Amino acid sequence: MRIELTRRAGKDYRTLSRQLQRQVDKQFDLLTGNLRHPSLDAKKYGGTDIWQGLVNRDYRFYFRIDNDTYRILMIIPHPK
């Protein structure tokens, strides 16, 4: 599997601090290796074909699975 960022996700990524970018990179590495890795806590979001994964306690990323690609839709702060 490979990772592809949408235009929106790329913009979200570029606005993150360098430390958060490193955390996102680590989570994306885990995602390509194992969708069910515990630190990702990946699950379908709201009964749609969109998935949610954890970056950390405060940030989430949302993605779709298209054939052999995880298409990252956005990386945003978690609404609490």
Side-chain angles (χ1 to χ4, degrees):
M1 297 292 279
R2 62 189 184 97
I3 298 283
E4 182 178 290
L5 275 65
T6 61
R7 185 173 296 160
R8 160 75 193 267
K11 181 179 177 187
D12 292 343
Y13 182 86
R14 287 187 299 276
T15 64
L16 299 174
S17 70
R18 187 67 198 131
Q19 179 182 357
L20 268 172
Q21 287 178 354
R22 284 192 295 270
Q23 289 177 332
V24 168
D25 294 343
K26 178 183 170 255
Q27 294 304 89
F28 287 173
D29 284 344
L30 293 174
L31 180 63
T32 58
N34 178 8
L35 173 63
R36 298 293 180 196
H37 193 282
S39 76
L40 291 171
D41 193 26
K43 56 190 167 207
K44 285 204 172 185
Y45 180 75
T48 66
D49 65 341
I50 296 174
W51 290 70
Q52 172 184 283
L54 301 179
V55 173
N56 62 24
R57 226 176 58 202
D58 300 319
Y59 276 81
R60 305 291 185 265
F61 64 96
Y62 295 85
F63 63 99
R64 280 200 168 100
I65 302 172
D66 295 327
N67 298 317
D68 69 338
T69 303
Y70 293 117
R71 195 167 318 282
I72 310 301
L73 305 172
M74 62 182 107
I75 307 163
I76 59 172
H78 186 285
K80 294 181 183 180

